[in-house]
Amino acid sequence: MNCIFCKIINGDIPSKIVAESSNYIAIKDINPVSPVHILIIPKEHIEKPGELAKFDGKILQELFELVEEVARSENIFDSGYRLIVNSGKDAGQEVAHLHWHLLGGRKLGKLG
Ligand code: AMP
Ligand code: ZN
């Protein structure tokens, strides 16, 4: 499959991995929009957020544990952060493999 995130997960293209769990990797975004910009990516090629519903609910527990671990290791746990999913064209989704943007390290503007 010609998916850049699957290639990163398979180790076929390089990335800066900051954390990993059984079902996710967390990497530095190549084009950061804030001092901390991490992508949290399920290892499974999933396209839409709702597709996570077909997995055991523990996969969501693992996601939020990893978010907290990364927020702490990136020193934005106390200052605050934003967690975003873009889904589809109007949201500007560029990579059709579900991922969460973890943004922080500066005061973020209003959404939208
Ligand atoms: P989205 O617009 O929500 O699909 O976000 C895709 C994100 O992936 C963008 O913020 C890109 O900068 C980022 N990105 C694209 N290619 C790479 C890559 N090879 N390594 C790290 N981040 C990437
Ligand atoms: Zn993929």
Side-chain angles (χ1 to χ4, degrees):
M1 190 185 290
N2 194 25
C3 168
I4 196 159
F5 289 170
C6 284
K7 288 179 182 162
I8 286 174
I9 289 155
N10 292 332
D12 295 336
I13 63 171
S15 67
K16 289 187 183 154
I17 299 178
V18 298
E20 185 167 4
S21 66
S22 318
N23 291 291
Y24 300 92
I25 59 164
I27 65 168
K28 288 199 189 265
D29 196 292
I30 205 168
N31 189 16
V33 299
S34 50
V36 177
H37 187 168
I38 306 293
L39 301 174
I40 297 179
I41 309 173
K43 290 180 181 174
E44 206 53 56
H45 182 92
I46 296 169
E47 301 212 343
K48 304 235 179 289
E51 289 174 49
L52 273 181
K54 69 187 177 197
F55 292 87
D56 188 293
K58 284 192 179 135
I59 202 163
L60 286 177
Q61 186 176 348
E62 186 185 322
L63 168 70
F64 291 108
E65 282 167 358
L66 188 62
V67 166
E68 187 155 324
E69 176 191 325
V70 174
R72 286 186 192 281
S73 64
E74 296 290 326
N75 289 315
I76 56 169
F77 183 77
D78 291 324
S79 50
Y81 57 84
R82 182 172 288 159
L83 192 60
I84 298 177
V85 176
N86 291 318
S87 185
K89 168 164 71 67
D90 280 358
Q93 184 179 10
E94 289 170 11
V95 179
H97 180 137
L98 178 65
H99 53 281
W100 285 261
H101 296 256
L102 176 64
L103 305 175
R106 67 169 167 85
K107 189 133 178 76
L108 299 162
K110 292 277 180 212
L111 282 176

